[in-house]
Amino acid sequence: ETAVFQTPNYHVTQVGNEVSFNCKQTLGHDTMYWYKQDSKKLLKIMFSYNNKQLIVNETVPRRFSPQSSDKAHLNLRIKSVEPEDSAVYLCASSPGQISNERLFFGHGTKLSVL
Amino acid sequence: GMPVEQNPPALSLYEGADSGLRCNFSTTMKSVQWFQQNHRGRLITLFYLAQGTKENGRLKSTFNSKERYSTLHIKDAQLEDSGTYFCAAHNYAQGLTFGLGTRVSVFP
């Protein structure tokens, strides 16, 4: 049963455009995350966020930014996309404070940058 | 080496067969999760273990923190078991680290 919802499922755009992906969780969890999965299926964390703390993976380019209105929502904005941003972006949530120990994932948003 | 080594990289099974996947850890981990990524790309949580063994239907997982490994056993494989299986192990020093996955293909 899906409890972490992501939109859109797919997005095709051109280099330099801005995109925004939405994520909502109905699990009542305190912490949400964004992961990037590359073409080799490797999963890398991008952001961890709860209402007290934002942890940014230092390898994430500055054109990426998380946006949250409340603890149930964490959107991902990419300002001026690059070809290497083509990937699947997975949103997740976990109970408690930031520890990313026990994750529940959405179905992902596949981004293709032309 | 990699904090989480997952083997094998790929696995082919006939329906009805049993098989196992394994993750070895380079350091002591506090917990492990197993996920199945289906053809639509969604990561489905299979197990979360802090120790010991759990079973769910035809799947069984074991986590041995002291020996630094975890296993996932598939019994009586079905076509819907096809997908990529990931383990992810957690410790407070490194957070959650994913393995590279095992691509499982089940054939009729």
Side-chain angles (χ1 to χ4, degrees), chain A residues 1-3 10 35 37 40-43 88 90 99-108, chain B residues 2 30-31 33 35 37 40-43 45 48 54 84 86 90 92 95-96 98-100:
Chain A
E1 185 178 340
T2 303
Y10 305 94
Y35 278 79
Q37 187 174 36
K40 295 180 181 177
K41 299 280 191 179
L42 183 62
L43 278 147
V88 176
L90 289 150
S99 69
N100 68 2
E101 182 172 6
R102 188 169 186 177
L103 298 179
F104 295 83
F105 282 91
H107 54 62
Chain B
M2 293 281 287
K30 181 177 174 287
S31 64
Q33 278 185 272
F35 301 92
Q37 190 167 35
R40 295 192 189 93
R42 181 156 169 250
L43 275 163
T45 304
Y48 167 84
K54 287 188 178 179
T84 303
F86 292 93
H90 182 272
Y92 287 112
L96 191 71
F98 280 80
L100 295 179

Side-chain angles (χ1 to χ4, degrees), chain A residues 24-41:
Chain A
K24 170 187 172 182
Q25 55 96 3
T26 59
L27 294 164
H29 288 167
D30 289 324
T31 306
M32 296 183 72
Y33 311 84
W34 278 100
Y35 278 79
K36 180 181 180 181
Q37 187 174 36
D38 62 22
S39 58
K40 295 180 181 177
K41 299 280 191 179

Side-chain angles (χ1 to χ4, degrees), chain B residues 58-96:
Chain B
R58 296 179 292 100
L59 300 179
K60 182 168 78 173
S61 182
T62 297
F63 173 47
N64 188 321
S65 178
K66 186 177 178 183
E67 299 295 323
R68 300 184 182 178
Y69 74 89
S70 179
T71 60
L72 177 69
H73 192 258
I74 302 173
K75 184 179 178 182
D76 184 24
Q78 301 296 306
L79 295 177
E80 62 263 29
D81 295 332
S82 294
T84 303
Y85 289 77
F86 292 93
C87 71
H90 182 272
N91 64 24
Y92 287 112
Q94 296 167 316
L96 191 71

Side-chain angles (χ1 to χ4, degrees), chain A residues 54-97:
Chain A
L54 170 66
I55 297 178
V56 181
N57 184 326
E58 62 186 16
T59 67
V60 173
R62 289 194 167 193
R63 59 181 178 277
F64 289 84
S65 60
Q67 298 173 319
S68 179
S69 55
D70 55 58
K71 74 173 191 177
H73 296 83
L74 185 67
N75 300 333
L76 179 67
R77 176 181 168 230
I78 313 174
K79 185 177 177 181
S80 188
V81 295
E82 298 287 337
E84 61 264 30
D85 298 339
S86 294
V88 176
Y89 293 87
L90 289 150
C91 176
S93 69
S94 70
Q97 299 306 305

